[in-house]
Tab-separated table of all heavy atoms in Angstrom:
chain	number	residue	atom	x	y	z
A	1	GLY	N	-41.112	-10.970	79.361
A	1	GLY	CA	-40.076	-11.671	78.733
A	1	GLY	C	-38.770	-11.664	79.582
A	1	GLY	O	-38.549	-10.786	80.402
A	2	ALA	N	-37.919	-12.669	79.316
A	2	ALA	CA	-36.632	-12.760	80.030
A	2	ALA	C	-35.597	-11.912	79.395
A	2	ALA	O	-34.735	-12.400	78.621
A	2	ALA	CB	-36.199	-14.254	80.006
A	3	SER	N	-35.634	-10.667	79.684
A	3	SER	CA	-34.740	-9.717	79.086
A	3	SER	C	-34.649	-8.453	80.027
A	3	SER	O	-35.653	-8.098	80.599
A	3	SER	CB	-35.194	-9.263	77.714
A	3	SER	OG	-34.625	-8.085	77.239
A	4	TRP	N	-33.424	-7.847	80.126
A	4	TRP	CA	-33.233	-6.642	80.856
A	4	TRP	C	-34.060	-5.470	80.308
A	4	TRP	O	-34.387	-4.569	80.999
A	4	TRP	CB	-31.792	-6.293	80.972
A	4	TRP	CG	-31.027	-7.198	81.913
A	4	TRP	CD1	-30.077	-8.150	81.558
A	4	TRP	CD2	-31.194	-7.332	83.304
A	4	TRP	NE1	-29.686	-8.832	82.720
A	4	TRP	CE2	-30.342	-8.293	83.794
A	4	TRP	CE3	-32.023	-6.636	84.243
A	4	TRP	CZ2	-30.233	-8.646	85.114
A	4	TRP	CZ3	-31.894	-6.994	85.640
A	4	TRP	CH2	-31.035	-7.980	86.072
A	5	ASN	N	-34.324	-5.586	78.992
A	5	ASN	CA	-35.179	-4.561	78.373
A	5	ASN	C	-36.528	-4.422	79.045
A	5	ASN	O	-37.043	-3.410	79.319
A	5	ASN	CB	-35.333	-4.784	76.869
A	5	ASN	CG	-34.304	-4.045	76.091
A	5	ASN	OD1	-33.184	-3.875	76.472
A	5	ASN	ND2	-34.655	-3.650	74.866
A	6	PHE	N	-37.158	-5.634	79.301
A	6	PHE	CA	-38.485	-5.739	79.880
A	6	PHE	C	-38.399	-5.288	81.376
A	6	PHE	O	-39.333	-4.639	81.891
A	6	PHE	CB	-39.128	-7.067	79.779
A	6	PHE	CG	-39.468	-7.465	78.336
A	6	PHE	CD1	-38.851	-8.530	77.710
A	6	PHE	CD2	-40.374	-6.690	77.646
A	6	PHE	CE1	-39.166	-8.888	76.463
A	6	PHE	CE2	-40.736	-7.071	76.412
A	6	PHE	CZ	-40.177	-8.158	75.727
A	7	VAL	N	-37.298	-5.649	82.017
A	7	VAL	CA	-37.166	-5.230	83.423
A	7	VAL	C	-37.053	-3.701	83.491
A	7	VAL	O	-37.700	-3.033	84.349
A	7	VAL	CB	-35.903	-5.862	84.013
A	7	VAL	CG1	-35.629	-5.294	85.398
A	7	VAL	CG2	-36.041	-7.381	84.083
A	8	PHE	N	-36.321	-3.087	82.534
A	8	PHE	CA	-36.107	-1.636	82.592
A	8	PHE	C	-37.477	-0.973	82.265
A	8	PHE	O	-37.864	0.025	82.800
A	8	PHE	CB	-35.073	-1.175	81.540
A	8	PHE	CG	-34.739	0.223	81.616
A	8	PHE	CD1	-33.762	0.703	82.473
A	8	PHE	CD2	-35.423	1.149	80.784
A	8	PHE	CE1	-33.466	2.105	82.530
A	8	PHE	CE2	-35.095	2.543	80.871
A	8	PHE	CZ	-34.144	2.965	81.734
A	9	TRP	N	-38.249	-1.592	81.246
A	9	TRP	CA	-39.521	-1.007	80.849
A	9	TRP	C	-40.492	-1.092	82.108
A	9	TRP	O	-41.108	-0.008	82.365
A	9	TRP	CB	-40.088	-1.880	79.731
A	9	TRP	CG	-41.504	-1.534	79.389
A	9	TRP	CD1	-41.956	-0.420	78.635
A	9	TRP	CD2	-42.703	-2.194	79.737
A	9	TRP	NE1	-43.334	-0.471	78.545
A	9	TRP	CE2	-43.828	-1.536	79.245
A	9	TRP	CE3	-42.917	-3.455	80.473
A	9	TRP	CZ2	-45.126	-1.990	79.414
A	9	TRP	CZ3	-44.254	-3.852	80.664
A	9	TRP	CH2	-45.338	-3.127	80.122
A	10	GLY	N	-40.558	-2.169	82.817
A	10	GLY	CA	-41.377	-2.301	83.992
A	10	GLY	C	-40.905	-1.348	85.110
A	10	GLY	O	-41.736	-0.682	85.744
A	11	GLY	N	-39.567	-1.294	85.264
A	11	GLY	CA	-39.029	-0.350	86.319
A	11	GLY	C	-39.311	1.030	85.965
A	11	GLY	O	-39.536	1.870	86.891
A	12	GLY	N	-39.217	1.378	84.677
A	12	GLY	CA	-39.528	2.828	84.282
A	12	GLY	C	-40.963	3.137	84.648
A	12	GLY	O	-41.246	4.305	85.161
A	13	HIS	N	-41.913	2.289	84.373
A	13	HIS	CA	-43.262	2.550	84.720
A	13	HIS	C	-43.486	2.634	86.298
A	13	HIS	O	-44.248	3.425	86.736
A	13	HIS	CB	-44.227	1.511	84.159
A	13	HIS	CG	-44.657	1.775	82.747
A	13	HIS	ND1	-45.651	2.657	82.517
A	13	HIS	CD2	-44.221	1.352	81.551
A	13	HIS	CE1	-45.790	2.732	81.157
A	13	HIS	NE2	-44.989	1.926	80.574
A	14	GLY	N	-42.790	1.726	86.994
A	14	GLY	CA	-42.843	1.746	88.444
A	14	GLY	C	-42.353	3.045	89.009
A	14	GLY	O	-42.975	3.678	89.891
A	15	LEU	N	-41.217	3.587	88.389
A	15	LEU	CA	-40.650	4.834	88.907
A	15	LEU	C	-41.589	5.967	88.599
A	15	LEU	O	-41.783	6.863	89.418
A	15	LEU	CB	-39.272	5.027	88.179
A	15	LEU	CG	-38.516	6.256	88.622
A	15	LEU	CD1	-38.083	6.126	90.122
A	15	LEU	CD2	-37.175	6.416	87.869
A	16	LEU	N	-42.182	5.988	87.445
A	16	LEU	CA	-43.151	7.076	87.129
A	16	LEU	C	-44.349	7.016	87.971
A	16	LEU	O	-44.945	8.042	88.394
A	16	LEU	CB	-43.545	6.986	85.636
A	16	LEU	CG	-42.420	7.277	84.593
A	16	LEU	CD1	-42.826	6.877	83.246
A	16	LEU	CD2	-42.121	8.817	84.689
A	17	LEU	N	-44.823	5.810	88.361
A	17	LEU	CA	-45.976	5.644	89.248
A	17	LEU	C	-45.592	6.240	90.683
A	17	LEU	O	-46.425	6.903	91.295
A	17	LEU	CB	-46.432	4.200	89.386
A	17	LEU	CG	-47.214	3.671	88.201
A	17	LEU	CD1	-47.254	2.144	88.326
A	17	LEU	CD2	-48.614	4.242	88.130
A	18	VAL	N	-44.374	5.943	91.128
A	18	VAL	CA	-43.951	6.438	92.453
A	18	VAL	C	-43.835	7.942	92.381
A	18	VAL	O	-44.325	8.675	93.327
A	18	VAL	CB	-42.575	5.823	92.808
A	18	VAL	CG1	-41.992	6.441	94.011
A	18	VAL	CG2	-42.816	4.293	93.105
A	19	MET	N	-43.236	8.488	91.341
A	19	MET	CA	-43.093	9.969	91.171
A	19	MET	C	-44.481	10.654	91.097
A	19	MET	O	-44.653	11.672	91.717
A	19	MET	CB	-42.279	10.305	89.854
A	19	MET	CG	-40.838	9.949	89.972
A	19	MET	SD	-40.027	10.165	88.399
A	19	MET	CE	-40.327	11.914	88.166
A	20	GLU	N	-45.375	10.009	90.396
A	20	GLU	CA	-46.751	10.589	90.350
A	20	GLU	C	-47.377	10.595	91.715
A	20	GLU	O	-48.036	11.560	92.138
A	20	GLU	CB	-47.586	9.735	89.407
A	20	GLU	CG	-49.059	10.246	89.255
A	20	GLU	CD	-49.836	9.309	88.322
A	20	GLU	OE1	-50.179	8.223	88.759
A	20	GLU	OE2	-50.145	9.747	87.222
A	21	ARG	N	-47.179	9.495	92.510
A	21	ARG	CA	-47.776	9.464	93.800
A	21	ARG	C	-47.177	10.503	94.753
A	21	ARG	O	-47.812	11.064	95.551
A	21	ARG	CB	-47.576	8.065	94.377
A	21	ARG	CG	-48.268	7.854	95.673
A	21	ARG	CD	-47.994	6.341	96.154
A	21	ARG	NE	-48.675	6.258	97.489
A	21	ARG	CZ	-48.069	6.553	98.609
A	21	ARG	NH1	-46.843	7.012	98.570
A	21	ARG	NH2	-48.658	6.355	99.735
A	22	LEU	N	-45.811	10.789	94.561
A	22	LEU	CA	-45.129	11.707	95.452
A	22	LEU	C	-45.309	13.169	95.070
A	22	LEU	O	-45.489	14.012	95.955
A	22	LEU	CB	-43.648	11.335	95.456
A	22	LEU	CG	-43.207	9.956	96.081
A	22	LEU	CD1	-41.720	9.813	95.921
A	22	LEU	CD2	-43.628	9.954	97.608
A	23	PHE	N	-45.368	13.436	93.778
A	23	PHE	CA	-45.260	14.804	93.353
A	23	PHE	C	-46.472	15.324	92.569
A	23	PHE	O	-46.765	16.565	92.609
A	23	PHE	CB	-44.010	15.055	92.504
A	23	PHE	CG	-42.758	14.648	93.184
A	23	PHE	CD1	-42.015	13.607	92.690
A	23	PHE	CD2	-42.319	15.342	94.277
A	23	PHE	CE1	-40.835	13.207	93.233
A	23	PHE	CE2	-41.170	14.927	94.940
A	23	PHE	CZ	-40.414	13.868	94.425
A	24	PHE	N	-47.213	14.452	91.907
A	24	PHE	CA	-48.252	14.921	90.975
A	24	PHE	C	-49.673	14.497	91.419
A	24	PHE	O	-50.563	14.726	90.662
A	24	PHE	CB	-47.961	14.386	89.541
A	24	PHE	CG	-46.619	14.874	89.034
A	24	PHE	CD1	-45.647	13.934	88.773
A	24	PHE	CD2	-46.397	16.200	88.724
A	24	PHE	CE1	-44.455	14.407	88.343
A	24	PHE	CE2	-45.204	16.565	88.246
A	24	PHE	CZ	-44.156	15.689	88.014
A	25	LYS	N	-49.832	13.842	92.459
A	25	LYS	CA	-51.103	13.420	92.893
A	25	LYS	C	-52.038	14.593	93.214
A	25	LYS	O	-51.606	15.472	94.008
A	25	LYS	CB	-51.084	12.471	94.088
A	25	LYS	CG	-52.366	11.723	94.307
A	25	LYS	CD	-52.173	10.711	95.414
A	25	LYS	CE	-53.460	9.913	95.655
A	25	LYS	NZ	-53.881	9.208	94.516
A	26	ARG	N	-53.165	14.664	92.488
A	26	ARG	CA	-54.079	15.811	92.749
A	26	ARG	C	-54.707	15.707	94.099
A	26	ARG	O	-55.323	14.699	94.441
A	26	ARG	CB	-55.093	15.839	91.624
A	26	ARG	CG	-54.505	16.131	90.291
A	26	ARG	CD	-55.600	16.400	89.234
A	26	ARG	NE	-56.501	15.242	89.082
A	26	ARG	CZ	-56.238	14.283	88.276
A	26	ARG	NH1	-55.101	14.294	87.525
A	26	ARG	NH2	-57.068	13.261	88.068
A	27	LYS	N	-54.713	16.713	94.909
A	27	LYS	CA	-55.281	16.742	96.242
A	27	LYS	C	-56.572	17.584	96.243
A	27	LYS	O	-56.627	18.677	95.625
A	27	LYS	CB	-54.316	17.298	97.291
A	27	LYS	CG	-53.089	16.431	97.405
A	27	LYS	CD	-52.232	16.999	98.493
A	27	LYS	CE	-50.985	16.154	98.667
A	27	LYS	NZ	-50.008	16.703	99.736
A	28	GLU	N	-57.584	17.041	96.814
A	28	GLU	CA	-58.852	17.799	96.841
A	28	GLU	C	-58.789	18.832	97.909
A	28	GLU	O	-58.382	18.582	99.052
A	28	GLU	CB	-60.011	16.789	97.159
A	28	GLU	CG	-60.198	15.731	96.060
A	28	GLU	CD	-60.601	16.272	94.811
A	28	GLU	OE1	-61.178	17.308	94.750
A	28	GLU	OE2	-60.290	15.616	93.716
A	29	ASN	N	-59.187	20.036	97.589
A	29	ASN	CA	-59.296	21.124	98.587
A	29	ASN	C	-60.620	21.872	98.321
A	29	ASN	O	-60.654	22.790	97.594
A	29	ASN	CB	-58.095	22.059	98.384
A	29	ASN	CG	-57.931	23.051	99.576
A	29	ASN	OD1	-58.887	23.423	100.206
A	29	ASN	ND2	-56.711	23.451	99.839
A	30	PRO	N	-61.630	21.468	99.150
A	30	PRO	CA	-62.919	22.044	98.869
A	30	PRO	C	-63.070	23.567	98.984
A	30	PRO	O	-63.687	24.199	98.229
A	30	PRO	CB	-63.812	21.392	100.033
A	30	PRO	CG	-63.063	20.178	100.354
A	30	PRO	CD	-61.632	20.461	100.193
A	31	SER	N	-62.313	24.062	99.996
A	31	SER	CA	-62.371	25.503	100.201
A	31	SER	C	-61.791	26.283	99.002
A	31	SER	O	-62.446	27.307	98.532
A	31	SER	CB	-61.608	25.929	101.460
A	31	SER	OG	-60.218	25.555	101.387
A	32	VAL	N	-60.596	25.843	98.521
A	32	VAL	CA	-60.077	26.469	97.308
A	32	VAL	C	-60.968	26.278	96.078
A	32	VAL	O	-61.172	27.206	95.312
A	32	VAL	CB	-58.645	25.903	97.024
A	32	VAL	CG1	-58.063	26.478	95.794
A	32	VAL	CG2	-57.703	26.176	98.255
A	33	GLY	N	-61.497	25.001	95.980
A	33	GLY	CA	-62.298	24.766	94.801
A	33	GLY	C	-63.549	25.656	94.839
A	33	GLY	O	-63.951	26.246	93.782
A	34	SER	N	-64.240	25.871	95.920
A	34	SER	CA	-65.423	26.666	96.010
A	34	SER	C	-65.109	28.112	95.717
A	34	SER	O	-65.880	28.866	95.116
A	34	SER	CB	-66.104	26.459	97.369
A	34	SER	OG	-65.258	26.813	98.369
A	35	ALA	N	-63.968	28.596	96.267
A	35	ALA	CA	-63.548	29.945	96.068
A	35	ALA	C	-63.322	30.329	94.631
A	35	ALA	O	-63.618	31.381	94.214
A	35	ALA	CB	-62.330	30.265	96.965
A	36	PHE	N	-62.779	29.365	93.914
A	36	PHE	CA	-62.430	29.613	92.516
A	36	PHE	C	-63.415	29.053	91.492
A	36	PHE	O	-63.194	29.052	90.306
A	36	PHE	CB	-61.027	29.143	92.221
A	36	PHE	CG	-59.950	29.980	92.813
A	36	PHE	CD1	-59.438	29.682	94.090
A	36	PHE	CD2	-59.429	31.061	92.112
A	36	PHE	CE1	-58.429	30.462	94.609
A	36	PHE	CE2	-58.369	31.794	92.691
A	36	PHE	CZ	-57.959	31.512	93.984
A	37	ASN	N	-64.451	28.378	92.005
A	37	ASN	CA	-65.322	27.664	91.127
A	37	ASN	C	-65.910	28.481	90.035
A	37	ASN	O	-66.021	28.010	88.928
A	37	ASN	CB	-66.531	27.058	91.943
A	37	ASN	CG	-67.241	26.009	91.216
A	37	ASN	OD1	-66.660	25.264	90.476
A	37	ASN	ND2	-68.488	25.980	91.415
A	38	ALA	N	-66.140	29.753	90.264
A	38	ALA	CA	-66.721	30.562	89.274
A	38	ALA	C	-65.675	31.299	88.413
A	38	ALA	O	-66.006	32.134	87.576
A	38	ALA	CB	-67.703	31.585	89.890
A	39	SER	N	-64.426	31.034	88.752
A	39	SER	CA	-63.346	31.776	88.083
A	39	SER	C	-63.082	31.257	86.655
A	39	SER	O	-62.779	30.029	86.587
A	39	SER	CB	-62.074	31.707	88.930
A	39	SER	OG	-61.041	32.251	88.207
A	40	PHE	N	-63.198	32.062	85.693
A	40	PHE	CA	-62.933	31.688	84.312
A	40	PHE	C	-61.479	31.252	84.174
A	40	PHE	O	-61.172	30.226	83.519
A	40	PHE	CB	-63.298	32.826	83.410
A	40	PHE	CG	-63.095	32.540	81.939
A	40	PHE	CD1	-64.016	31.876	81.240
A	40	PHE	CD2	-61.963	33.064	81.291
A	40	PHE	CE1	-63.840	31.615	79.888
A	40	PHE	CE2	-61.720	32.716	79.984
A	40	PHE	CZ	-62.673	32.081	79.253
A	41	ILE	N	-60.556	32.005	84.758
A	41	ILE	CA	-59.107	31.756	84.600
A	41	ILE	C	-58.744	30.392	85.262
A	41	ILE	O	-58.037	29.590	84.730
A	41	ILE	CB	-58.259	32.924	85.118
A	41	ILE	CG1	-58.588	34.195	84.424
A	41	ILE	CG2	-56.805	32.542	85.160
A	41	ILE	CD1	-57.890	35.397	84.948
A	42	PHE	N	-59.302	30.232	86.520
A	42	PHE	CA	-58.966	28.987	87.164
A	42	PHE	C	-59.390	27.796	86.430
A	42	PHE	O	-58.634	26.772	86.355
A	42	PHE	CB	-59.640	29.025	88.571
A	42	PHE	CG	-59.336	27.781	89.402
A	42	PHE	CD1	-58.159	27.642	90.002
A	42	PHE	CD2	-60.347	26.854	89.554
A	42	PHE	CE1	-57.954	26.510	90.803
A	42	PHE	CE2	-60.121	25.701	90.338
A	42	PHE	CZ	-58.909	25.576	90.904
A	43	GLY	N	-60.565	27.802	85.771
A	43	GLY	CA	-61.028	26.718	85.001
A	43	GLY	C	-60.075	26.298	83.896
A	43	GLY	O	-59.772	25.160	83.621
A	44	TYR	N	-59.544	27.339	83.249
A	44	TYR	CA	-58.655	27.071	82.097
A	44	TYR	C	-57.251	26.615	82.569
A	44	TYR	O	-56.665	25.866	81.970
A	44	TYR	CB	-58.491	28.304	81.228
A	44	TYR	CG	-59.505	28.379	80.127
A	44	TYR	CD1	-60.795	28.993	80.398
A	44	TYR	CD2	-59.340	27.728	78.963
A	44	TYR	CE1	-61.790	29.029	79.405
A	44	TYR	CE2	-60.276	27.728	77.925
A	44	TYR	CZ	-61.472	28.398	78.174
A	44	TYR	OH	-62.446	28.424	77.239
A	45	VAL	N	-56.833	27.106	83.761
A	45	VAL	CA	-55.546	26.672	84.324
A	45	VAL	C	-55.685	25.162	84.661
A	45	VAL	O	-54.734	24.367	84.419
A	45	VAL	CB	-55.240	27.427	85.598
A	45	VAL	CG1	-54.062	26.820	86.376
A	45	VAL	CG2	-54.882	28.880	85.225
């Protein structure tokens, strides 16, 4: 829609996608995963 509300809504989602990519993206680490694979606490974390 032609409204600043929609621009802000889209920009908010864009900013959250960028933040997720920069700070919250899960990285695979096979060595850490295998070391803790059997850990009960690690699974719940």
Side-chain angles (χ1 to χ4, degrees):
S3 164
W4 286 110
N5 267 33
F6 292 119
V7 174
F8 188 88
W9 173 79
H13 273 281
L15 186 61
L16 289 167
L17 284 168
V18 170
M19 288 174 60
E20 179 183 72
R21 186 178 177 277
L22 292 175
F23 304 114
F24 300 112
K25 193 170 181 63
R26 297 188 296 274
K27 297 181 180 179
E28 299 295 332
N29 193 329
S31 60
V32 174
S34 59
F36 286 92
N37 194 37
S39 171
F40 180 81
I41 297 176
F42 179 76
Y44 272 91
V45 168

